[in-house]
Amino acid sequence: KPDLYLKKYNLAIFIHGCFWHQHGCKYSGIPKSNKKFWKSKFNQNTTRDKINLKKLNQIGVRYEIIWECHIRNQIEKELKRVVARTVYLKSSGGY
């Protein structure tokens, strides 16, 4: 299931965590303990991703993947903004 689907553009958007979907960047390492488990888990995840993207392609749905590492700083900044606004609204009685 995509994180977003834009019907107007027939576009599925996935926001993938680099760790869980093994992007290959600095955030996608394998834990040192229980390596056999983690390798199996990541292989299952990446295989499932490939199958699902192939299915979308077969039914004519376009897709894009947004990787965590590409938007990491922007997300942290946005979360801080939302938290700050929520705290402000709560303290000012506007919440």
Side-chain angles (χ1 to χ4, degrees), residues 38-83:
W38 287 108
K39 285 183 180 183
S40 174
K41 174 67 175 156
F42 294 144
N43 283 337
Q44 290 171 14
N45 288 354
T46 55
T47 299
R48 184 187 64 240
D49 289 343
K50 289 175 187 174
I51 290 168
N52 288 337
L53 295 177
K54 185 176 180 180
K55 286 179 182 178
L56 287 174
N57 201 23
Q58 289 172 341
I59 62 172
V61 175
R62 298 179 314 132
Y63 63 86
E64 287 292 329
I65 297 172
I66 299 171
W67 289 100
E68 168 194 8
C69 64
H70 295 163
I71 60 172
R72 189 177 187 104
N73 293 335
Q74 290 87 347
I75 287 176
E76 289 172 1
K77 183 179 176 182
E78 183 64 11
L79 286 174
K80 287 177 184 176
R81 184 193 69 77
V82 169
V83 169

